[in-house]
Amino acid sequence: MTNNPVDSTVLQQQAKTRQEIETAITQMFAPEDEGLRHALVAAKEGGLPEIQISAIQGKLLQLLATACNAHKILEIGSLAGYSGIWLARALPTSGRLITLEINPKHAEVVRGSFAAAGIADRTEVRVGQALELLPHLESEAPFDFFFIDADKAPYPQYLAWAIRLSRPGSIIVADNCIRRGAALHETEGMNADTAGLVQYNKHASGDARLVSLALAMDEDYTDGFTISVVRQA
Ligand code: DHB
Ligand code: MG
C-alpha cells in the first residue's frame, strides 16, 4: 500500500473495477435463486457465522461437480448450507450429498434450508466431529466430489480422508487456502489454523496422486480454493 495520493486513486479505481466485474459475472453466470437467498437469511437469523463462499465460488463448485459426473458428494463443514445447495443442484435426482456438521443447532438450520430449497430428498446432514464420522463413510465410498470448508487445523487429515474415499477423476476442493498468502508458506509462530492450511497446500501440490491448483478467487482475490483432481492410477 502507499500514501501517495495518485497511487491510492489508481488502487481505488482497480478495486472498483474488480468489484464491477465480480457483480457482472455474478448476475450473468451465478444469480442466486430463492433457495440460496433463503439459506442466507435463515443462517443470519440462526446466528450462524456469515462466512459462506461467494456466489461465483458456489457456481464453480456446481460446475466442477458436473464435470466429474458427481452422483455422490461429501462436504466437510456445512456452514449455512449455502455451498450444499449449489452442489446438490449439480446432482441427478438419484444422487446424494452428505454434509458433516459439528454443531447440532446449525445442522437443524441447514436441514431447514435444504428442505426450503427442494433438495431434502438427496441430502443428508450428519452431526459430529468430522474425524469421527469419516471412518464410517468407507462403506459408502467412492465419492465423486469433496468440498472441505470446516475447522482449519485438521485440513491435512481431511485431505487424506478425501483421497482415501475417492476414485480416479474425483475432485477435491478446499476453501480458505490462500488467506492473504499466509496459507502458502510457513512462518515462525504461525497458529494451528494457518499451519493446517499450509500443510494442506503442501500435500495437495506435492502428492503424485493429485493434480492441484490454488486459485485466488473470493470477493477481493485474497482467499480462495485449492482444487485437486485425483489422477488415474
Ligand atoms: C473462517 C472460516 C471460513 O471457512 C471462512 O470461509 C472464512 C473465515 C473463520 O473461521 O474465520
Ligand atoms: Mg470457508
Side-chain angles (χ1 to χ4, degrees):
M1 286 298 155
T2 173
N3 291 322
N4 181 319
V6 177
D7 288 353
S8 76
T9 306
V10 171
L11 290 175
Q12 278 170 20
Q13 186 56 47
Q14 284 175 344
K16 186 164 167 279
T17 302
R18 280 200 300 269
Q19 206 169 48
E20 285 167 1
I21 292 170
E22 169 97 11
T23 301
I25 292 173
T26 302
Q27 285 174 355
M28 183 172 282
F29 289 96
E32 287 172 341
D33 64 15
E34 198 57 36
L36 288 163
R37 281 197 294 269
H38 172 276
L40 293 180
V41 173
K44 193 168 183 167
E45 286 173 1
L48 276 65
E50 290 177 72
I51 51 172
Q52 71 280 339
I53 56 171
S54 70
I56 290 175
Q57 289 179 296
K59 183 64 183 280
L60 180 61
L61 292 180
Q62 190 177 86
L63 183 157
L64 291 170
T66 307
C68 65
N69 277 326
H71 274 70
K72 283 196 274 182
I73 296 176
L74 179 60
E75 182 179 59
I76 303 176
S78 311
L79 278 174
Y82 182 82
S83 48
I85 295 172
W86 278 107
L87 281 168
R89 297 225 190 285
L91 287 170
T93 45
S94 60
R96 194 140 198 89
L97 168 94
I98 296 175
T99 181
L100 312 182
E101 174 56 45
I102 195 164
N103 184 315
K105 287 199 187 103
H106 294 185
E108 267 316 300
V109 175
V110 172
R111 286 189 187 111
S113 292
F114 284 175
I119 54 164
D121 58 335
R122 69 195 74 163
T123 54
E124 189 186 334
V125 186
R126 293 196 187 169
V127 179
Q129 271 208 331
L131 288 175
E132 283 172 16
L133 297 174
L134 283 162
H136 300 286
L137 286 161
E138 284 201 85
S139 60
E140 292 163 87
F143 290 85
D144 309 296
F145 188 95
F146 301 83
F147 181 49
I148 301 168
D149 191 9
D151 47 337
K152 308 308 171 198
Y155 259 40
Q157 289 153 279
Y158 297 153
L159 177 59
W161 271 108
I163 295 171
R164 190 181 173 108
L165 299 173
S166 72
R167 57 154 170 91
S170 290
I171 296 178
I172 304 167
V173 179
D175 190 30
N176 308 110
C177 283
I178 306 227
R179 288 270 161 116
R180 297 190 171 271
L184 297 170
H185 44 74
E186 281 169 356
T187 45
E188 225 170 288
M190 63 184 169
N191 64 29
D193 288 356
T194 305
L197 295 167
V198 171
Q199 280 306 314
Y200 186 96
N201 281 321
K202 275 191 162 185
H203 289 181
S205 59
D207 193 312
R209 293 168 293 182
L210 304 174
V211 180
S212 301
L213 185 65
L215 282 177
M217 49 135 358
D218 71 337
E219 290 92 339
D220 59 0
Y221 301 91
T222 57
D223 206 351
F225 292 162
T226 288
I227 303 174
S228 305
V229 182
V230 179
R231 283 182 195 275
Q232 312 244 11

